[in-house]
Amino acid sequence: MDEQHKAFLKRSFETYLELLSNLHPTHRFLDFNFDFLDNRGWYLLGKEMVESDLRELTNLLNRWQDSLDRWQAWNQVISNHDEDAAWELRREFLEALAHECLLRPSALRDTFTSVATNALHQVRLSNDPTYRDHLPGDPETPTDRQKLLTRPHKEKRLQTIVDRWPGGDALMKAIRRINGPEYKQATSDYRNLVNHTLGPRLGIGAVRMVTRHVKPATKPEKGSDGRFHDIPVPGEMCVSYGFGGTPPLDLVAARRANEGQFRHARDCYEKYLDVLKSAVADIKPQV
């Protein structure tokens, strides 16, 4: 790295720090006041489990908010440079940050489901001595293995637990709004593609310029109008190749979509706290 390039990176980072310090976040950071969990007759280590998971969930949301602010500052810095300089700055400072944020909605959806399931299961154990300490997916015999449930099955499992408390249905709707079809479309299904095949690049450059599709077979057939039309061949499939390409993500539009997901996650967090507080209030006070 030559001295001129190092100087460029230093100036850009100084500009970024100045912009970051002047940003006005749209949300305050979440606090860690969970005293509603105290002085209750919890089952075994239930309180410690619930509080630990809630703290980490809070940490994840605060980190996401902080990363979105940093992404915004870098977008502003990069917007003032030509494409070559912008590419250097994205590569050096922004790509890892944006990648983390783009993966967050899918991860947080599953985290909310896991945390809420464990917490409300502990509440029921603390409330009802006849309630069995067993969740669908747990092994039933020494020879059984833990069953790895799919996302729909995990959310269905939580639905059966949470339905007994006010706000349970609202919580499930909030969870299912995270990482929905609109977000996947806005980000070209980034999380799924980047984890399982070739995902879109960030800022510049298309990928997968040649595409392969398996589709129902057709054959040309002359119609009554004298033209040839593609007619489906019953029971047959064919492979077709063509030029396509996945365009790069625009990092301004992608951040806007990602921030929308963050708002959904913050709303989900509030609804989870509402349900949890209502549920914990049913646990008898500690003698």
Side-chain angles (χ1 to χ4, degrees):
M1 183 183 296
D2 61 34
E3 292 301 318
Q4 184 178 358
H5 187 64
K6 286 196 289 187
F8 164 67
L9 294 180
K10 288 179 181 178
R11 288 194 306 273
S12 299
F13 193 74
E14 289 170 356
T15 303
Y16 156 76
L17 291 176
E18 183 177 351
L19 288 168
L20 183 63
S21 66
N22 291 322
L23 281 180
H24 300 287
T26 54
H27 290 85
R28 62 173 177 80
F29 285 115
L30 297 164
D31 60 34
F32 295 85
N33 181 17
F34 308 131
D35 55 4
F36 67 93
L37 300 174
D38 297 338
N39 303 315
R40 297 286 172 178
W42 287 93
Y43 176 80
L44 297 179
L45 296 175
K47 188 244 183 180
E48 288 76 12
M49 176 185 288
V50 173
E51 185 173 39
S52 174
D53 286 357
L54 184 52
R55 284 183 178 278
E56 190 56 31
L57 180 62
T58 305
N59 277 329
L60 289 171
L61 283 164
N62 284 341
R63 178 183 174 91
W64 189 4
Q65 178 178 336
D66 183 64
S67 296
L68 279 167
D69 291 342
R70 294 172 185 276
W71 187 352
Q72 173 69 4
W74 275 119
N75 276 350
Q76 292 181 29
V77 174
I78 290 170
S79 68
N80 295 319
H81 292 279
D82 62 29
E83 191 50 59
D84 287 342
W87 181 84
E88 288 286 353
L89 293 175
R90 283 193 298 267
R91 183 177 66 89
E92 192 73 43
F93 298 114
L94 182 54
E95 286 184 355
L97 186 66
H99 174 77
E100 176 191 340
C101 288
L102 289 165
L103 300 187
R104 189 64 68 188
S106 178
L108 256 294
R109 176 167 173 167
D110 291 334
T111 300
F112 271 115
T113 300
S114 173
V115 167
T117 297
N118 286 335
L120 297 172
H121 178 67
Q122 292 302 313
V123 170
R124 291 196 65 180
L125 289 168
S126 304
N127 275 332
D128 183 359
T130 67
Y131 178 70
R132 183 186 175 201
D133 193 357
H134 175 85
L135 289 169
D138 287 349
E140 294 277 7
T141 71
T143 58
D144 287 346
R145 294 183 178 181
Q146 183 78 28
K147 294 179 182 177
L148 301 178
L149 303 182
T150 63
R151 173 181 286 174
H153 284 102
K154 290 177 182 178
E155 291 178 359
K156 183 178 179 181
R157 180 177 65 181
L158 175 58
Q159 183 84 63
T160 63
I161 297 173
V162 79
D163 275 346
R164 64 189 293 115
W165 289 291
D169 190 55
L171 171 61
M172 295 309 304
K173 288 180 180 177
I175 288 174
R176 291 175 176 133
R177 273 199 301 269
I178 303 171
N179 198 50
E182 298 84 2
Y183 176 70
K184 293 178 183 178
Q185 181 176 3
T187 57
S188 300
D189 201 14
Y190 179 86
R191 186 213 68 87
N192 187 48
L193 292 180
V194 80
N195 282 336
H196 301 292
T197 179
L198 295 174
R201 290 180 178 172
L202 302 178
I204 187 172
V207 297
R208 309 204 78 176
M209 298 305 295
V210 176
T211 60
R212 177 183 183 273
H213 298 284
V214 179
K215 61 182 184 179
T218 60
K219 64 179 180 180
E221 186 174 295
K222 191 173 183 179
S224 59
D225 58 359
R227 298 180 179 181
F228 282 89
H229 303 273
D230 287 332
I231 305 300
V233 179
E236 292 189 19
M237 302 293 289
C238 70
V239 179
S240 69
Y241 291 86
F243 291 103
T246 303
L249 289 186
D250 179 290
L251 288 180
V252 174
R255 186 199 169 279
R256 190 181 306 120
N258 193 255
E259 184 179 14
Q261 291 296 298
F262 172 75
R263 293 174 185 275
H264 287 329
R266 280 290 296 258
D267 176 65
C268 187
Y269 181 89
E270 298 299 332
K271 287 180 168 53
Y272 170 56
L273 279 185
D274 288 344
V275 173
L276 185 60
K277 288 177 180 179
S278 175
V280 169
D282 293 338
I283 301 175
K284 292 180 180 180
Q286 194 173 34
V287 179

